[in-house]
Amino acid sequence: MLLSLKDVSVRYGTARAVNSVTIEVPDGTVTSVIGANGAGKSTILKAIAAQVPLNGGSIWFQDKRIDGMTTHNIVRCGLTLIPEGGGLFPYISVLSNLKLGAFLRTDKAGIAADLESVFEHFPVLRERQKQRAATLSGGERQMVAIGRALMAKPKLLLMDEPSVGLSPLMVDEVGKVINDISSAGISILLVEQNAGLVSRVSEKGYVLEVGEVVLEGNIKELMDNKLVQRAFMGD
């Protein structure tokens, strides 16, 4: 198993955000975590990336326990997070943002080849590589965020709500990018509210409700469940 969360719990002060969550991400798959706002989805990704501490349980990546490691060492292991909104540095250039994704790498030829690959995948970024990230559209910023994550050469990509604020056309484009990344052999753990996007790109899903996994299974079968419909509709 590529990634395993075993009985993971997270608290913010006295508030329980995630309670005894167990999730598995097989190698070579796109696995989704779905649920209404406030269900704890983003907290799970932050816990994996060592941005919030665990209050219980353990996290394993490629049979190595990673909870308790620093974020940069987790990135070094091959695991990269794209936070909601992209998390770009707005006042530096597109090119500088992309290069920051490779800050732990020393293989200059490989970095150059991967940068060229990002530009081939997102031609508009080649045209706008000297622009400040703040001047880009929402869709273009998401392209930069994905490209920067790919520059880290991850084995597993954590994606937090990549469709937020995007037009339907750009959501479709994000779906194509996710499929392309998966086809290239990079596994993905996706947190997403857009039901159509989740259905198109995922094989397996977990439904989170008030910090607990209440359903799991084939994503297309889950989509007909009332709990899943409530998770997306938020009512």
Side-chain angles (χ1 to χ4, degrees):
M1 191 61 59
L2 183 64
L3 177 74
S4 296
L5 280 67
K6 300 179 180 180
D7 297 318
V8 165
S9 295
V10 177
R11 289 181 177 271
Y12 295 121
T14 59
R16 183 185 69 184
V18 174
N19 186 45
S20 297
V21 163
T22 294
I23 289 173
E24 292 187 333
V25 180
D27 196 6
T29 67
V30 179
T31 299
S32 290
V33 179
I34 59 181
N37 287 335
K41 306 182 304 297
S42 294
T43 297
I44 287 173
L45 297 189
K46 290 176 181 178
I48 297 168
Q51 294 185 356
V52 295
L54 303 191
N55 291 101
S58 59
I59 301 173
W60 299 76
F61 182 63
Q62 293 186 311
D63 298 322
K64 179 179 182 179
R65 187 167 180 175
I66 63 170
D67 57 281
M69 292 175 61
T70 59
T71 297
H72 73 272
N73 279 328
I74 287 173
V75 173
R76 200 186 298 276
C77 287
L79 200 156
T80 304
L81 169 66
I82 303 175
E84 183 177 346
L88 302 184
F89 293 92
Y91 300 115
I92 65 174
S93 69
V94 167
L95 181 60
S96 294
N97 268 282
L98 291 172
K99 286 183 174 179
L100 281 172
F103 78 105
L104 288 175
R105 296 174 58 184
T106 57
D107 56 324
K108 292 183 179 180
I111 291 170
D114 287 341
L115 181 61
E116 181 61 27
S117 177
V118 169
F119 285 148
E120 288 176 2
H121 206 91
F122 303 115
V124 68
L125 299 187
R126 188 193 300 275
E127 299 169 11
R128 305 196 178 186
Q129 61 182 291
K130 295 182 180 180
Q131 286 185 220
R132 289 185 303 154
T135 66
L136 302 177
S137 69
E140 290 164 348
R141 288 195 296 270
Q142 190 60 253
M143 292 177 194
V144 177
I146 293 171
R148 183 180 63 184
L150 293 175
M151 291 296 294
K153 222 168 181 61
K155 299 179 181 73
L156 174 63
L157 200 54
L158 310 175
M159 304 185 77
D160 193 357
E161 304 280 9
S163 76
V164 166
L166 301 186
S167 68
L169 189 62
M170 276 307 308
V171 172
D172 288 342
E173 184 61 30
V174 167
K176 292 175 185 175
V177 170
I178 290 173
N179 284 329
D180 287 347
I181 292 170
S182 178
S183 296
I186 300 172
S187 302
I188 297 172
L189 180 59
L190 173 68
V191 160
E192 180 55 60
Q193 279 289 108
N194 187 303
L197 177 59
V198 168
S199 297
R200 288 197 301 274
V201 303
S202 305
E203 295 91 20
K204 182 180 181 181
Y206 290 84
V207 182
L208 209 64
E209 192 171 72
V210 198
E212 298 183 353
V213 173
V214 293
L215 278 175
E216 64 178 276
N218 179 276
I219 198 69
K220 290 179 173 56
E221 295 174 359
L222 287 176
M223 283 300 167
D224 291 328
N225 188 285
K226 289 183 179 180
L227 272 174
V228 176
Q229 293 169 4
R230 183 171 65 189
F232 281 115
M233 299 304 294
D235 56 25

